[in-house]
Amino acid sequence: MSDVNGPTGQTPASNGPEDAAVGTAGAGAGAGAEAATGSAAGSAAESVAGVGAPTGATAVGPHTTAAEGGRRVRVVLVDDHRMFRTGVQAEIGETERTGVEVVGEAADVDQAVTVITATRPEVVLLDVHLPGGGGVEVLRRCAPLMADARQPVRFLALSVSDAAEDVIGVIRGGARGYVTKTITGTDLVDSIFRVQDGDAVFSPRLAGFVLDAFASTDAPPVDEDLDRLTQREREVLRLIARGYAYKEIAKQLFISVKTVESHVSAVLRKLQLSNRHELTRWATARRLV
């Protein structure tokens, strides 16, 4: 996917997965991270804002009031899609209105650990699927920051995936909540403040995954066929099985239609299936839809 030009002075990282943006720390934060917060991208902002009724975590009331009262929360955005980071920044980053100050961005695991360590935000919005090991690896490497009693860094997963294994994986890794990218901007701000307060926040359907997982002492069975697929291939598989067209998947995942076609071909080859109808039956039988 071609990147949208950022603000003047922004230098895209070379040879990176799209590009990384490591933001400057706020007051009292460590130095050494360079500012990079993109201008608004309409389509990405719409994906954050969502359409129609909110589908995100239960709101606790608009935080415009909190912002007017002087309440602030420092946030780092971690997502490997620059357009999505730009959209989130445009939707929630007006600090005087929302109380949210975006102090840094990152596009992969190494960059995420670097900027989080440098800026020490209150909350990190963390994508589950990242180059370098995924969101779980970021959580593992940031465990000491989460355990800091004086200034804990808390994580809120923000992902296109609503798969049970993704939700359970990051919660076991230490995240305080998990919301999908269909969440509205207002609900996302509310969720950030709730996580800052130490609450657990989930999109309604995802909370059931966590309750089921921790109510059971049995480890989930290993699916060798599913393990052959990359995280991105699993995302495409689920969307195909739900009846999405290639163009819709491309828009949902911020990738090109050609990339979607390549992922579908790889999935069919690895699973030894012939077409999307067989793929849908395969996914349905495993309750992946």
Side-chain angles (χ1 to χ4, degrees):
M1 178 185 67
S2 299
D3 287 336
V4 178
N5 290 331
T8 304
Q10 178 169 306
T11 304
S14 61
N15 301 323
E18 298 221 350
D19 69 298
V22 182
T24 53
E34 297 179 355
T37 50
S39 58
S43 60
E46 289 171 1
S47 72
V48 180
V51 179
T55 57
T58 304
V60 293
H63 279 288
T64 303
T65 302
E68 290 173 349
R71 188 176 182 189
R72 296 289 186 269
V73 57
R74 300 170 64 255
V75 172
V76 164
L77 307 178
V78 181
D79 194 288
D80 62 335
H81 293 102
R82 180 184 176 189
M83 284 184 63
F84 184 75
R85 297 197 310 269
T86 302
V88 174
Q89 168 74 14
E91 185 70 21
I92 71 172
E94 296 180 13
T95 307
E96 293 305 312
R97 175 177 63 86
T98 65
V100 175
E101 179 186 2
V102 179
V103 297
E105 301 180 10
D108 62 28
V109 169
D110 288 341
Q111 294 156 3
V113 174
T114 297
V115 70
I116 293 166
T117 302
T119 60
R120 297 296 294 267
E122 283 87 30
V123 177
V124 177
L125 291 180
L126 179 68
D127 193 12
V128 175
H129 302 146
L130 295 168
V136 172
E137 179 64 13
V138 175
L139 292 164
R140 186 187 69 79
R141 291 168 59 178
C142 290
L145 301 180
M146 289 189 282
D148 188 335
R150 295 179 57 191
Q151 189 181 354
V153 176
R154 296 188 168 102
F155 288 79
L156 173 62
L158 175 63
S159 177
V160 70
S161 172
D162 59 1
E165 63 265 28
D166 289 335
V167 178
I168 294 165
V170 296
I171 297 304
R172 282 184 169 150
R176 296 294 304 173
Y178 194 118
V179 294
T180 61
K181 289 180 178 179
T182 56
I183 191 170
T184 67
T186 299
D187 279 354
L188 182 56
V189 170
D190 290 335
S191 298
I192 289 168
F193 274 97
R194 291 178 65 187
V195 168
Q196 181 193 28
D197 291 338
D199 293 342
V201 180
F202 297 92
S203 294
R205 192 173 83 87
L206 307 186
F209 295 157
V210 179
L211 292 174
D212 291 344
F214 288 92
S216 173
T217 57
D218 296 329
V222 175
D223 189 326
E224 294 182 0
D225 290 332
L226 191 60
D227 284 347
R228 294 192 187 102
L229 306 182
T230 67
Q231 292 289 352
R232 180 63 85 197
E233 288 167 353
R234 294 184 191 189
E235 290 179 342
V236 172
L237 163 66
R238 291 188 183 93
L239 293 174
I240 284 288
R242 291 172 183 174
Y244 283 71
Y246 285 3
K247 287 184 179 179
E248 294 172 324
I249 296 173
K251 183 178 180 181
Q252 182 88 355
L253 300 181
F254 295 93
I255 58 180
S256 68
V257 173
K258 185 175 180 180
T259 301
V260 173
E261 293 173 349
S262 297
H263 285 314
V264 172
S265 296
V267 170
L268 293 174
R269 184 181 67 256
K270 290 179 180 180
L271 300 180
Q272 298 182 350
L273 302 173
S274 300
N275 52 56
R276 64 182 297 163
H277 299 295
E278 290 184 2
L279 186 152
T280 299
R281 288 197 296 269
W282 187 93
T284 302
R286 287 162 173 77
R287 299 181 180 179
L288 299 177
V289 180

